Amino acid sequence: MPETPLQRALRDSVQEVLEKMFFVEPVEEPPGAADAPEGEMAVQLAFEGLPSGALTLRLTTAAARQIAADFLGEDASGLSPVKVEEVVCELANMICGSVLSRVESTATFRLASPRLLGAEERPDRRQAADGRAVHAVSVGSGTLTASVETRDPVCPPVEESGF
Amino acid sequence: MDQIVVGMADCRIAEGGGQVLATFALGSCIGLAIYDPQTKVGGLLHFMLPDSGIDPARAKANPFMFADTGIPLLLEQVCGRGAMKRRLVVRAAGGAQMMDQEGVFEIGKRNYLALRKILWKSGVLLHAEAVGGIRSRTVRLDTSSGKMWLLEGGEQRELVAGAPRQGGN
Amino acid sequence: MAYRVLIVDDSPAMRSFVRRVMELSGFDLAVCFEAGDGGEALKVLNSEWVDAILTDINMPGMDGEELLRRLSADEVLRAIPAIVISTDATANRMDRLATLGARGYITKPFVPEDLRAVLERTLGDPNA
C-alpha cells in the first residue's frame, strides 16, 4: 500500500520527537512485530480540527521507563510510575501535535488531554488503512507503536505551483 | 605553545593555559571539548561508540571509547581540576556518516544522540557543534584563549559559541 | 539576577523539562511557579510578580491563547515577557500569538539548546 500523507506525517513526527527530546534514534519495525509479551502501557488522545480523530501510543514498560528517565534527565531506577505516565502522555501530545501541524497548515486544531488506557481497554491493533496510520519502532529498550485514526480525509500538503 | 594530541578513544586535560589539545580524523567519532574560561582548565575527549553496554569489559579497560562512560569521566576530571560545570563552554564535532568496519553508516548519528543525552543527564548544554555530514574533521582547543578551531574539507574556521550549527546530512 | 518565573503547561513532565532547560542555561531561578492552565496562571499572577511567563497553548480549561489575551489587556501584566512553547506550528496560530504580544515562540519538539536561544533572545543572556 503506498504511503499516505498521514502515514508519512506520523513516521516523520515520531522520528523528530524521539530524536530531539528523547535522544533516541527510532528503528522502524513491522507493526505486527510490536506485540510484546511483557507488560505495556497505552495512552490515547483525541483531537478536533481538520481532520478530527485520535492518536494512540503503546509502549513496552521497559521502553516507557527508559525514555521517561532520559527525558527528565534522571536515573530510571528511581523513577515513580506516575512520572513515567506523565512523560508518556507528553510524548503522545507532542507526536500528535507534530502530525497535525504537518497535515494541517492553516486550520487550528485542538488536542484533548492524553489519557492512560486501563488494562481492560484493549488498544486497537489493526493495521494501516484509509484514514488510519500505524508506525512501530524499536527504541532500544523496547517497542513503541503509534497509530492515528481520522474521521475526515487528510489532503496532501499544498504544493507551490509556479505559473 | 605545546600541542597535546588526543588519540581515538582518548581524553586529555590541560590546565593553566598555554596548551593546545588536538584530535584528528573525527569521522563517525565525536570530539567533545569543554573549557572553563575562568580557570582556563580544558578537556578534549575523542569517543568512538555510543553505548558501553555492548562491551563492558572493554569499557572498563578504556572508558573513553564510549560516550556513556567517557563523557562523565571527562566532566569529572575537568571539574576535579577546578573547573565549574556552570561556567563550562561545551563544543562538539564529528558524528559524520562514514563507512566503518561493519559497513554501518549510522554510528555517527547514534554517537551524536548519545552525546546529547549524556550531556543533558549530566546537566550541561552544548554551545556549538559541527556534526553530521560526510566529511572527516580535525579540532583544536586553545586553552589560553578558549577558542576552538575546526578543520573540515580543507578549510579552517573557529567553532564559536552561539546557535548550534549542523553539517548537512 | 535571580529570576521569578511562571511555567504554564498541563503536562507536569513538560514543566520539569522547561525548568531544567532554564536552569542549565544559567538562569538563576529564585522562584519557579507552575500552573496547569491559564486560569491557574492568572491566580498566581494575582498575588505574585514574575519576570517571565513560559506557556503552552493547548490546555484544558483556559488555553494559552486566552491567557495571552488577558495578559495583554492588563496594564501591569502586559509588561511581563511571555514565551510560547507549543506543538502548534500552524501559520494561523503563530500570527495570532504575535498579535497578542508573545515575545518568543518555540515549537515542540525542540532541542534544549534552541529553547536556550529563545530565552536569551527574549530575556537577555544570563551569563553576560
Side-chain angles (χ1 to χ4, degrees), chain C residues 17 31 34 46 57 62 64 68 79 81 87 107 117 119:
Chain C
F17 190 95
V31 171
E34 296 188 18
N46 233 353
I57 293 296
M62 186 190 297
L68 284 175
T87 52
T107 313
L119 290 167

Side-chain angles (χ1 to χ4, degrees), chain B residues 42-153:
Chain B
L44 181 60
L45 165 69
H46 179 143
F47 72 85
M48 299 171 68
L49 294 168
D51 180 8
S52 64
I54 60 160
D55 195 341
R58 192 184 270 201
K60 198 161 181 199
N62 183 2
F64 300 127
M65 173 165 277
F66 303 95
D68 61 337
T69 44
I71 296 172
L73 199 47
L74 166 68
L75 287 166
E76 191 185 301
Q77 289 186 356
V78 162
C79 293
R81 285 165 169 80
M84 280 198 66
K85 205 188 269 191
R86 56 194 296 271
R87 290 196 300 252
L88 291 176
V89 178
V90 183
R91 290 164 286 199
Q97 283 188 308
M98 315 283 280
M99 178 81 81
D100 66 11
Q101 284 170 344
E102 282 96 40
V104 171
F105 288 88
E106 291 298 317
I107 294 284
K109 187 172 191 183
R110 287 172 50 215
N111 276 340
Y112 176 61
L113 289 171
L115 166 80
R116 290 195 39 243
K117 176 167 73 178
I118 293 150
L119 288 179
W120 173 248
K121 291 193 130 167
S122 303
V124 170
L125 299 185
L126 268 172
H127 290 88
E129 62 186 47
V131 297
I134 56 169
R135 296 191 294 201
S136 186
R137 296 172 173 98
T138 288
V139 294
R140 289 184 172 80
L141 174 66
D142 179 337
T143 61
S144 289
S145 63
K147 293 187 179 191
M148 183 158 165
W149 297 97
L150 172 76
L151 184 65
E152 180 181 357

Side-chain angles (χ1 to χ4, degrees), chain C residues 102-116:
Chain C
R103 304 243 198 118
Y105 191 100
I106 190 164
T107 313
K108 300 183 208 176
F110 54 85
V111 298
E113 288 78 5
D114 285 349
L115 177 55
R116 179 183 59 197

